Amino acid sequence: MQRPARLGSGLFADCPELIGTPFSYTREEEIYGEGEDAEFVYKVIVGAVRTHKVLGDGRRLITGFHLPGGLFGFEQGEHHRDTAEALSDTRVLIFRRRQIERAAAQRAEVACQLWGMAANGLRHAQDHMLLLGRRSALERVAAFLLDVDARLGGTGTFDLPMTRRDIADYLGLTIETVSRTVSQLEGERALQRSGTRTVALQRARLQRMVED
């Protein structure tokens, strides 16, 4: 049996009562489904997770990507509003939601960190709405790549954990449009591809595209 682990450095690092259980998921494996009880909260250690909803007409709407260090599954209500799936072989720490809520009620620093997470999530959601409503395909893809780079450490070179279909469903584009846009960015020397998933960004060029 896997040994419990603390939430780790960074988030809630000084809260020893928050003990999580490591668990691994394989690529495309479901972590939880829409409508299931939101009993647990998850932190990504290795890999990546996508959350999505399926609309009434069958279309898939990706609501977020969760990368190493990210917390997901913390709902306002008692049930999950979307489905979470591993994008690749992924390892997480699983925590009981009531455990975190109890710690937040007893310790101001935990409550402040949760408030900060909620505020960041709201800001990201607002930025995403503006991206979808006001930006061209080129601007959407450029902004997305910059965001993923920042969340993966900001080195400028990384392996995209998501497929082009995932990116398309997140940005409200078609797969063909994403493919053409990535090729356009490569032609303008804003990025360089190596293999199927590795990209090296020219961040200054991408940033100018987003700002313009």
Side-chain angles (χ1 to χ4, degrees):
M1 187 173 71
Q2 292 177 304
R3 298 173 59 186
R6 287 190 176 86
L7 200 51
S9 59
L11 195 61
F12 309 134
D14 297 325
C15 196
E17 63 267 36
L18 288 179
I19 304 297
T21 301
F23 201 85
S24 296
Y25 296 91
T26 58
R27 182 176 179 273
E28 299 294 334
E29 185 175 358
E30 183 175 290
I31 299 170
Y32 59 75
E34 183 178 353
E36 291 182 3
D37 291 344
E39 183 180 358
F40 299 102
V41 179
Y42 307 79
K43 181 182 180 183
V44 182
I45 304 302
V46 176
V49 172
R50 68 173 169 242
T51 49
H52 76 270
K53 295 176 70 69
V54 176
L55 304 180
D57 59 5
R59 288 179 298 161
R60 184 183 67 162
L61 173 66
I62 291 184
T63 55
F65 296 109
H66 307 279
L67 306 178
L71 206 67
F72 68 98
F74 206 165
E75 302 284 2
Q76 183 179 13
E78 295 298 319
H79 302 92
H80 289 297
R81 296 185 299 169
D82 48 24
T83 296
E85 297 169 333
L87 281 169
S88 59
D89 290 343
T90 297
R91 187 159 55 91
V92 302
L93 287 178
I94 302 178
F95 301 85
R96 290 194 176 275
R97 172 179 168 176
R98 297 194 185 281
Q99 193 179 18
I100 295 179
E101 291 174 340
R102 186 163 52 247
Q106 296 171 350
R107 302 184 59 165
E109 63 270 29
V110 175
C112 287
Q113 288 189 62
L114 287 175
W115 174 259
M117 287 168 46
N120 286 335
L122 179 60
R123 182 181 64 185
H124 193 273
Q126 291 172 333
D127 290 343
H128 189 58
M129 285 191 297
L130 290 173
L131 186 71
L132 296 183
R134 298 291 183 179
R135 297 287 190 172
S136 67
L138 186 69
E139 291 168 331
R140 294 185 200 186
V141 174
F144 174 77
L145 292 172
L146 287 169
D147 179 60
V148 173
D149 175 52
R151 294 167 64 192
L152 289 176
T155 64
T157 301
F158 55 92
D159 291 334
L160 274 170
M162 61 286 294
T163 66
R164 293 189 184 185
R165 183 194 170 200
D166 291 328
I167 297 171
D169 287 350
Y170 183 65
L171 295 179
L173 303 170
T174 65
I175 300 176
E176 294 76 16
T177 299
V178 171
S179 296
R180 286 196 305 269
T181 303
V182 170
S183 296
Q184 180 181 349
L185 290 171
E186 190 171 28
E188 296 182 11
R189 293 190 286 184
L191 66 83
Q192 182 176 357
R193 287 181 285 182
S194 176
T196 57
R197 295 286 185 91
T198 303
V199 294
L201 307 183
Q202 293 294 327
R203 285 178 289 183
R205 291 177 185 267
L206 288 173
Q207 194 64 52
R208 283 196 295 271
M209 293 176 181
V210 173
E211 291 173 349
D212 292 344

